[in-house]
């Protein structure tokens, strides 16, 4: 959720957020997820499976503790794992393990906002002030100048509250506040202590504050929390049995990957799995699996969650040059990253980073090809982990596109 000390984390934590955990156990569901993945792997052929395994191993060699990947296309699904889910017990990572998806949560939240737009209950041109009077004000901040669209595509200019959020800056600060409950108003209040970075609409800069406000607007429009709306509108209809949108529980339910981070310090990494997800909220508090995320992206880009007009809005992007060190030529829509493929064309997705967890994904424009990748631990201190992750996603999408 914050910019981190190393070169790679200072760049990639731009798409950072979140923490989550909800006390629901579902080991049987995880076991089913794994079994389904195994069967699908067999249909895809050994060359595809071995290629994915080699790419996962390449990511793991750069430093992560555990790595999971799932690649789905017209010819089937492959999965691969490397490393361990639990450094203390040595349990190996499993395809059905849950993990914190961090800022990938934003796509789910944006989906709900756009559904409300499609229902005529909200407009992308509505201002923040109309829905949340007085919330964005002071130090040059003015909610009357910021639209819902500018929140979703990060052109609001609002200060990123996680850049001034001590709990994620060091081992000691994390340990002191890992179980603290934060309200949305408190998180937005952190941002309001700072002047905006630029005038609304003037340029692009990633800010978790935008999605905290989007979650608050969802509640104002519907009378229900963003967690309930995401659950009722996305999780349950799609049968995402391993996905949760938690509130304050610090646990990850069921079989899961443990996260580890040293917060850029010279000492050993600590177990950061348990954390109160209210620190992230709508900006990134969700938990899922590679299988459930695949089903979500298939449904979203396949047109099952949004009306054509709203899906077109989501895929309408602006230049996001801030992300070029990791995704050269990156663009950003309404809760969707768009990045070029080496084989031509582009893919969509949304990265997620927080201490101990790194989520990466890539989806074809029609939702037929999806790659989801999760790594735990801090990874490399340079960009080698990022490069290996990008190579995996690009390689899988380009290979499946050629099949």
């Amino acid at each position: 959720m914050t910019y981190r000390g190393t070169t790679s984390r200072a760049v990639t934590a731009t798409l950072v957020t979140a923490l989550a955990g909800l006390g629901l156990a579902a080991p049987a569901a995880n076991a089913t997820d794994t079994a389904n993945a195994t069967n699908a792997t067999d249909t895809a052929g050994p060359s595809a499976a071995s290629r994915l395994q080699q790419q996962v191993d390449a990511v793991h060699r750069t430093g992560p503790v555990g790595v999971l990947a799932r690649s789905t296309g017209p010819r089937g699904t492959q999965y691969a794992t490397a490393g361990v889910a639990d450094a203390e017990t040595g349990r190996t990572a499993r395809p059905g393990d849950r993990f914190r998806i961090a800022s990938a949560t934003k796509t789910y939240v944006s989906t709900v906002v756009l559904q409300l737009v499609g229902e005529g209950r909200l407009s992308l041109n509505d201002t923040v002030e109309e829905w949340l009077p007085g919330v964005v004000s002071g130090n040059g901040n003015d909610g009357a100048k910021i639209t819902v669209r500018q929140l979703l595509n990060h052109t609001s200019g609002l200060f990123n509250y996680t850049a001034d959020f001590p709990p994620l800056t060091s081992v000691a600060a994390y340990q002191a506040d890992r179980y603290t409950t934060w309200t949305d108003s408190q998180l937005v209040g952190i941002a309001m202590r700072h002047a905006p970075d630029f005038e609304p609409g003037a340029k692009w800069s990633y800010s978790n504050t935008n999605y905290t406000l989007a979650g608050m607007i969802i509640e104002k429009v519907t009378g229900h929390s963003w967690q309930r709306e995401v659950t009722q509108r996305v999780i349950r209809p799609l049968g995402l049995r391993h996905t949760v949108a938690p509130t304050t529980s610090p646990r990850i339910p069921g079989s899961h990957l443990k996260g580890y981070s040293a917060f850029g310090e010279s000492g050993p990494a600590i177990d950061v799995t348990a954390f109160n997800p209210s620190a992230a909220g709508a900006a990134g508090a969700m938990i899922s699996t590679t299988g459930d995320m695949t089903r979500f992206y298939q449904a979203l880009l396949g047109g099952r969650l949004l009306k054509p007009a709203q899906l077109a809005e989501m895929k309408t992007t602006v230049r996001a040059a801030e992300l070029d060190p990791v995704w050269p030529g990156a663009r950003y829509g309404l809760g969707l990253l768009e990045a070029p493929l080496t084989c031509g064309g582009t893919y969509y997705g949304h990265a997620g980073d927080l201490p101990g967890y790194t989520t990466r994904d890539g989806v074809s424009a029609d939702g037929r090809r999806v790659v989801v990748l999760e790594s735990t631990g801090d990874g490399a201190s340079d960009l080698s982990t990022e490069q290996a992750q990008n190579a995996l996603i690009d390689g899988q999408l380009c290979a499946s596109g050629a099949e």
Side-chain angles (χ1 to χ4, degrees), residues 152-362:
L152 298 184
N153 71 6
H154 295 295
T155 59
S156 72
L158 292 173
F159 179 83
N160 182 4
Y161 81 87
T162 59
D164 184 19
F165 196 61
L168 298 181
T169 59
S170 69
V171 169
Y174 167 83
Q175 291 175 324
D177 266 327
R178 67 190 300 175
Y179 299 120
T180 298
T181 294
W182 302 83
T183 67
D184 290 339
S185 295
Q186 285 177 312
L187 301 180
V188 173
I190 294 172
M192 294 303 102
R193 296 200 299 251
H194 300 265
D197 295 330
F198 50 84
E199 284 295 310
K203 59 185 206 176
W204 187 93
S205 186
Y206 195 86
S207 174
N208 291 302
T209 309
N210 291 324
Y211 276 77
T212 303
L213 290 163
M216 295 171 73
I217 290 173
I218 288 173
E219 183 165 2
K220 196 67 177 286
V221 174
T222 66
H224 304 135
S225 69
W226 73 267
Q227 290 97 329
R228 176 172 170 175
E229 291 298 314
V230 166
T231 300
Q232 297 290 339
R233 292 169 172 270
V234 178
I235 295 174
R236 288 183 180 171
L238 295 181
L240 307 181
R241 294 182 298 134
H242 322 311
T243 301
V244 290
T247 53
T248 60
S249 172
R251 295 182 56 244
I252 300 179
S255 178
H256 59 272
L257 299 175
K258 287 191 172 182
Y260 302 90
S261 181
F263 294 86
E265 298 176 0
S266 59
I270 64 169
D271 185 337
V272 296
T273 309
F275 201 104
N276 188 319
S278 64
M286 290 177 66
I287 294 168
S288 192
T289 62
T290 58
D292 271 12
M293 290 189 71
T294 295
R295 286 187 283 279
F296 167 68
Y297 282 121
Q298 287 173 324
L300 177 63
L301 276 298
R304 292 170 51 198
L305 291 174
L306 295 174
K307 295 177 180 179
Q310 279 69 58
L311 182 57
E313 288 277 15
M314 178 178 264
K315 294 166 69 174
T316 299
T317 59
V318 297
R319 187 72 173 91
E322 188 176 297
L323 304 180
D324 279 352
V326 176
W327 296 280
R331 301 181 65 86
Y332 196 92
L334 305 186
L336 272 184
L337 170 74
E338 182 181 16
L341 287 165
T342 59
C343 53
T346 62
Y347 69 90
Y348 295 94
H350 204 297
D353 298 77
L354 68 150
Y357 294 92
T358 299
T359 302
R360 296 289 182 267
D361 44 58

Side-chain angles (χ1 to χ4, degrees), residues 84-120:
V84 298
D86 187 326
E88 183 177 358
T89 66
R91 181 177 76 78
T92 57
R94 296 188 284 231
D97 282 342
R98 286 185 173 97
F99 48 85
R100 302 191 186 281
I101 72 172
S103 281
T105 298
K106 290 180 173 66
T107 310
Y108 297 72
V109 172
S110 181
T111 297
V112 170
V113 172
L114 288 167
Q115 286 180 343
L116 294 172
V117 171
E119 294 165 9

